[in-house]
Amino acid sequence: MKLAVMGAGDVGQSVARLAGEYGHTVTAIADSSSAVWDENGVDVTEALTRKSESGAVGPNDPEGVLGAEYDVLIEATPTTLGDAEPGFGHVTTALERDRDVVLANKGPVAQRYDDLAAVAADSEGAVRFEATVGGAIPAIATAEGLGPEHVTAARGVLNGTANFILSRMQAEGLAYEHVLAEAQDLGVAETDPSFDVEGTDAALKGVILANVLDGGGHTLADARIEGIKDLPANALDVAADDGMTVRLIAEATADRIRVGPRLVPENSTLAVTGTMNILQFDTQHAGQLNISGRGAGGPETASAVLADVDRLSCDTTSSVRTGSR
Amino acid sequence: MKLAVMGAGDVGQSVARLAGEYGHTVTAIADSSSAVWDENGVDVTEALTRKSESGAVGPNDPEGVLGAEYDVLIEATPTTLGDAEPGFGHVTTALERDRDVVLANKGPVAQRYDDLAAVAADSEGAVRFEATVGGAIPAIATAEGLGPEHVTAARGVLNGTANFILSRMQAEGLAYEHVLAEAQDLGVAETDPSFDVEGTDAALKGVILANVLDGGGHTLADARIEGIKDLPANALDVAADDGMTVRLIAEATADRIRVGPRLVPENSTLAVTGTMNILQFDTQHAGQLNISGRGAGGPETASAVLADVDRLSCDTTSSVRTGSR
């Protein structure tokens, strides 16, 4: 399919680089200030080299991408809160043109799910957003497979930065500030880590899961959020004395969405370490299902985007296929 | 949709009981010696009560179900090796009628995948088999989502009986025969446990995964199989001294399918306990993905069957839906 990639951060760049390998053609790429498009296919390597050298992927205006030739718009611009603009506007424009949309941007799905459903209802285009929760983890597809109405709760470790900090604090007995600085040096934490350590990012993912399970109705305003930066210095030691550890858990149940540090047994399923994510579904008939994997990273998240692109086709209704790896 | 359920063991009975809750109508049920069908819907409770009281679900001949009214044939008869009959014949008949087929029976998918693909290619019907690997774990859907060509290996603990025995042996320091007897008392192991403890069941699942990843070409004959019953009595103690344990691991890579007892670190991802299953995918771009859940049980496996039935429709290409749990 022809893909237009809005956003040229880690995820957007990885989607553009991997698209060919997944059998797709990138017909447009935009970063925050520039764009390039070609209905016969953009030279991705050239465009991204241009970006790294001159700071611009191309000569055109980013918004112009929305009017370019494409089957699927990949919305990979940075997540914004409030009205989730400009992401929401990009998605709306594509849907009004009856194009499909795959989001890596959490904003529109967490903050304006109901508006999104309304716009999608009037469009021939479909909307998917696997990449918004848990990076490489197939969170949304698994919930859909279980049947949202048969899932009683979803919870997990959905922010790799906070989890890296907590697991390092416990493993090395180091203080929060020390580990945060280390994480920043490693590029695991942003210069401004508030979005991750205050629980906002994990809460957005909890809200998205709640919207999937309930068919919408939730925004960040419905989430009770507590981060990890005010965690008492000795909390991890006290936990360790009882064979427990602390993880930042996001949870969506039928009656609440909450994010906060929780005590979990060491070596238990939820106690993933480093930047790993884990998502746990409680189901009506199938017990508990756990999925762990890389919750972030360009190629990891791009693979979730490209899996969504494949799900847009109906040619996958038979599991029996021929041909080889 | 209208479902015809062939096979009235734990899985078949659970599919029939849960079908209504998933929005489907059971138009036929067959056990090994009898059947009942009604194009307007069979009274499932009545049929299963009849079976428990008189041993027969209905007055008719089981094979007659294949000619009854249905959209999807649920093939849940016992797994057979060799030519995988009668299951393969049931599937063929349904596909020749351009009906969809969902298998819980491993035989046709492990032993005759290429024949299955050939019959499916000439049919309007689709074939799915999520329930054949890992019970409630979405093994096949996840491999499809990743893109089989992007999965470099699949491995896991895929037989709950063998895993229950190994984890009890280690936890309690008990001998194989003792734990096997306990497992048989609990109904975790069959009276004849050979299928599970000799590794055949896990190997069939490894072969199915290899067929999914490679687009066919494999049967049980390609698998190197070693069970757990000849495990040296002290193997688990020796392992424990090094912080390791033993699990029966099934693995499908590009160049081999094998099942056997393997050393894995205690508390590691693969060291699930009791009857839990875990499946691990190594991927090209998304790192390692782990999925654990209940690998057996009527309702658990039925939920995988019913998830496949939903996947047969194309109405799920948009993740944005409205309505509530």
Side-chain angles (χ1 to χ4, degrees), chain A residues 21 127 214 285 314 319 323 325, chain B residues 21 127 214 285 314 319 323 325:
Chain A
E21 193 183 317
V127 179
D214 293 336
H285 305 296
C314 284
S319 293
R325 273 184 287 202
Chain B
E21 193 183 317
V127 180
D214 293 337
H285 304 297
C314 285
S319 293
R325 272 184 285 204

Side-chain angles (χ1 to χ4, degrees), chain A residues 24-300:
Chain A
H24 307 300
T25 305
V26 177
T27 52
I29 309 177
D31 59 24
S32 56
S33 62
S34 75
V36 55
W37 53 82
D38 179 339
E39 61 183 42
N40 300 316
V42 167
D43 183 328
V44 172
T45 314
E46 199 176 275
L48 297 182
T49 307
R50 226 172 9 241
K51 181 175 174 60
S52 61
E53 286 169 357
S54 71
V57 291
N60 308 326
D61 165 55
E63 299 292 317
V65 160
L66 298 170
E69 169 100 6
Y70 59 86
D71 303 309
V72 187
L73 179 74
I74 310 299
E75 219 307 325
T77 64
T79 294
T80 55
L81 304 184
D83 64 2
E85 293 293 359
F88 186 83
H90 299 158
V91 172
T92 302
T93 305
L95 287 172
E96 283 171 355
R97 288 183 64 197
D98 292 326
R99 300 300 195 272
D100 295 321
V101 174
V102 171
L103 290 112
N105 173 354
K106 293 180 281 292
V109 195
Q111 295 293 73
R112 300 185 66 181
Y113 186 98
D114 299 345
D115 296 339
L116 198 56
V119 179
D122 294 335
S123 172
E124 297 292 307
V127 179
R128 299 196 61 90
F129 45 86
E130 185 61 79
T132 61
V133 179
I137 294 173
I140 312 303
T142 302
E144 289 174 339
L146 290 167
E149 63 278 25
H150 302 295
V151 175
T152 54
R155 79 184 62 79
V157 171
L158 297 174
N159 183 274
T161 304
N163 203 61
F164 175 89
I165 292 171
L166 288 173
S167 33
R168 286 285 295 163
M169 283 171 71
Q170 176 135 32
E172 310 297 330
L174 299 167
Y176 170 80
E177 292 70 16
H178 181 104
V179 177
L180 173 59
E182 176 193 49
Q184 287 168 321
D185 292 344
L186 292 168
V188 170
E190 315 265 335
T191 317
D192 172 5
S194 51
F195 204 63
D196 296 312
V197 299
E198 288 172 8
T200 315
D201 175 72
L204 286 167
K205 292 161 181 171
V207 170
I208 290 170
L209 287 169
N211 280 332
V212 168
L213 297 183
D214 293 336
H218 306 290
T219 69
L220 204 52
D222 304 332
R224 213 179 75 210
I225 310 171
E226 190 188 341
I228 62 167
K229 65 184 216 305
D230 305 327
L231 200 65
N234 66 340
L236 287 158
D237 304 339
V238 174
D241 295 342
D242 298 331
M244 307 285 277
T245 185
V246 176
R247 288 295 181 263
L248 183 67
I249 304 291
E251 184 171 48
T253 63
D255 57 2
R256 71 175 172 206
I257 303 166
R258 62 174 193 170
V259 172
R262 306 265 175 271
L263 277 173
V264 300
E266 285 186 276
N267 304 320
S268 65
T269 309
L270 283 174
V272 292
T273 56
T275 57
M276 287 289 278
N277 277 199
I278 180 160
L279 180 59
Q280 192 168 72
F281 289 108
D282 294 344
T283 73
Q284 243 174 350
H285 305 296
Q288 198 172 68
L289 199 63
N290 306 288
I291 317 177
S292 65
R294 296 190 190 165
E300 291 83 352

Side-chain angles (χ1 to χ4, degrees), chain B:
Chain B
M1 293 211 264
K2 294 183 171 181
L3 312 184
V5 183
M6 285 290 276
D10 285 352
V11 176
Q13 290 199 23
S14 294
V15 169
R17 284 204 187 85
L18 292 174
E21 193 183 317
Y22 282 73
H24 307 299
T25 305
V26 176
T27 52
I29 309 177
D31 60 23
S32 56
S33 61
S34 74
V36 55
W37 54 80
D38 179 338
E39 61 183 41
N40 300 316
V42 168
D43 183 326
V44 172
T45 314
E46 200 176 273
L48 296 182
T49 308
R50 234 182 348 253
K51 180 175 174 58
S52 61
E53 287 170 357
S54 71
V57 292
N60 307 325
D61 165 57
E63 299 292 315
V65 161
L66 298 169
E69 168 102 4
Y70 58 86
D71 303 309
V72 186
L73 179 75
I74 309 299
E75 219 306 325
T77 65
T79 294
T80 54
L81 304 183
D83 64 2
E85 294 293 1
F88 186 82
H90 298 158
V91 172
T92 302
T93 305
L95 288 171
E96 284 170 354
R97 288 183 64 198
D98 291 327
R99 301 297 194 273
D100 295 321
V101 174
V102 171
L103 290 112
N105 172 354
K106 294 178 280 292
V109 195
Q111 296 294 72
R112 300 185 66 181
Y113 187 98
D114 299 346
D115 296 340
L116 197 57
V119 178
D122 295 334
S123 172
E124 297 292 307
V127 180
R128 299 197 60 90
F129 44 85
E130 185 61 78
T132 61
V133 179
I137 294 174
I140 311 304
T142 301
E144 289 174 340
L146 291 167
E149 63 278 26
H150 302 295
V151 175
T152 54
R155 79 183 62 78
V157 171
L158 298 174
N159 182 275
T161 303
N163 203 61
F164 174 89
I165 292 171
L166 288 172
S167 33
R168 286 285 296 163
M169 283 171 70
Q170 177 136 33
E172 311 297 329
L174 298 169
Y176 170 81
E177 291 71 16
H178 181 106
V179 178
L180 173 60
E182 176 193 50
Q184 286 168 322
D185 292 343
L186 292 168
V188 170
E190 315 266 335
T191 318
D192 173 5
S194 50
F195 204 62
D196 295 313
V197 300
E198 289 172 7
T200 314
D201 175 72
L204 286 167
K205 292 162 180 170
V207 169
I208 291 170
L209 287 168
N211 280 332
V212 168
L213 298 182
D214 293 337
H218 306 289
T219 69
L220 203 53
D222 305 331
R224 213 179 74 208
I225 310 170
E226 190 188 343
I228 61 167
K229 65 184 216 308
D230 304 326
L231 200 65
N234 67 340
L236 286 159
D237 304 340
V238 174
D241 294 342
D242 296 332
M244 309 285 277
T245 185
V246 176
R247 288 294 180 264
L248 183 67
I249 304 292
E251 184 171 47
T253 64
D255 57 3
R256 72 174 171 209
I257 303 165
R258 62 173 192 171
V259 172
R262 305 264 175 274
L263 277 173
V264 299
E266 286 185 276
N267 304 319
S268 66
T269 309
L270 283 173
V272 292
T273 57
T275 57
M276 287 289 279
N277 277 200
I278 181 161
L279 180 59
Q280 190 169 73
F281 288 109
D282 294 343
T283 73
Q284 243 173 350
H285 304 297
Q288 199 172 67
L289 199 64
N290 307 289
I291 316 177
S292 64
R294 295 190 190 166
E300 292 83 353
T301 309
S303 73
V305 167
L306 291 161
D308 263 354
V309 172
D310 288 342
R311 291 187 190 102
L312 293 169
S313 101
C314 285
D315 306 332
T316 57
T317 52
S318 181
S319 293
V320 174
R321 57 184 272 281
T322 50
S324 186
R325 272 184 285 204

